[in-house]
Amino acid sequence: MGFLRGLGGTVWAYVRSAPGTYVWLAILFVTTVALHHMSPEFEQQFLRQRSTNIRELSDNPVRVLVTSAMWIEGGHWVPYAFLYTVFHAPVERWLGTVRWLAVCVLAHVLATLISEGALLKGIHDGIVPHSAVNTLDIGVSYALAGVIAVLAYRIATPWRYAYLAAVLLVYGLPLTESPTFTDLGHFVAALIGLGCRPLVGGRGKAWNPKETLDALKG
């Protein structure tokens, strides 16, 4: 029992150290449960009204930019709980809640507007059908991409370059073959995260994996 209490205390302390991350994750849990109680037909219509598609961005831009970040298409919450813990929480603890939130908002909003702008141009050029103005576009992946990218500045060189190469490969590779507007959005969000370097100034020494390994070896 003592071990379990100690573990529970450690977990709770970690959660409290990144309040924004876990409040957001709690909201996503509630909305995901709500989605599981909807019929597939109603779910699509419901999400479309909260989506940052071209039609909704034209009519209610602020509302849908907020609400689109509160739902997960597909209803799979557990993978996001893992990703939030691995990426969002460390960045919030490192930058502080305000700066972390700034990275999230910049990546989510700008990547959405740029990717939807590219989709709108495709419609005007006749490359994409006009029905694409209603394309479902919800979720938290743009903010996540921005946070994953900004985390590169937390890692000391030369390890930073390997991490950065992996990030650019993950988000850039889909653009090389039949890219979608969301592929573009993810890549743009990662670039925005990298562009948030001014926010990381004065946030402590970069983490050196070699030092951590040496410490573990004793």
Side-chain angles (χ1 to χ4, degrees):
M1 289 296 293
F3 169 76
L4 292 178
R5 282 196 298 269
L7 180 61
T10 300
V11 171
W12 179 238
Y14 188 82
V15 169
R16 285 188 302 165
S17 70
T21 294
Y22 289 103
V23 167
W24 192 2
L25 200 55
I27 293 171
L28 292 175
F29 178 78
V30 172
T31 57
T32 300
V33 170
L35 286 181
H36 283 295
H37 288 82
M38 299 178 187
S39 68
E41 297 77 12
F42 179 77
E43 177 184 328
Q44 287 298 303
Q45 183 59 30
F46 180 86
L47 292 179
R48 190 164 283 111
Q49 293 173 355
R50 289 152 182 81
S51 164
T52 49
N53 56 57
I54 293 171
R55 186 178 301 281
E56 292 295 336
L57 277 173
S58 299
D59 296 338
N60 304 287
V62 176
R63 179 179 67 82
V64 295
L65 281 168
V66 174
T67 58
S68 64
M70 301 300 162
W71 301 85
I72 301 171
E73 187 180 7
H76 299 295
W77 180 82
V78 173
Y80 284 95
F82 173 78
L83 291 171
Y84 270 51
T85 298
V86 172
F87 294 107
H88 274 293
V91 171
E92 185 179 0
R93 295 177 70 196
W94 166 44
L95 296 182
T97 299
V98 173
R99 295 190 187 196
W100 160 79
L101 186 59
V103 175
C104 292
V105 171
L106 286 170
H108 175 66
V109 173
L110 295 180
T112 295
L113 296 179
I114 291 171
S115 61
E116 291 292 341
L119 182 61
L120 182 60
K121 185 177 187 308
I123 294 172
H124 285 166
D125 292 345
I127 301 172
V128 181
H130 187 269
S131 59
V133 296
N134 293 313
T135 300
L136 189 62
D137 185 20
I138 64 164
V140 297
S141 57
Y142 292 166
L144 180 61
V147 164
I148 289 173
V150 80
L151 190 59
Y153 299 120
R154 180 59 170 157
I155 305 170
T157 56
W159 314 100
R160 177 183 300 169
Y161 302 126
Y163 180 87
L164 180 58
V167 170
L168 294 177
L169 184 64
V170 167
Y171 290 113
L173 196 59
L175 294 177
T176 62
E177 292 185 14
S178 303
T180 65
F181 76 96
T182 54
D183 292 330
L184 174 63
H186 288 134
F187 186 71
V188 168
L191 294 182
I192 291 168
L194 293 174
C196 289
R197 184 166 188 172
L199 294 177
V200 311
R203 304 311 294 182
K205 180 183 176 182
W207 171 62
N208 190 324
K210 185 177 184 299
E211 292 178 358
T212 300
L213 289 174
D214 290 343
L216 290 174
K217 292 176 181 178

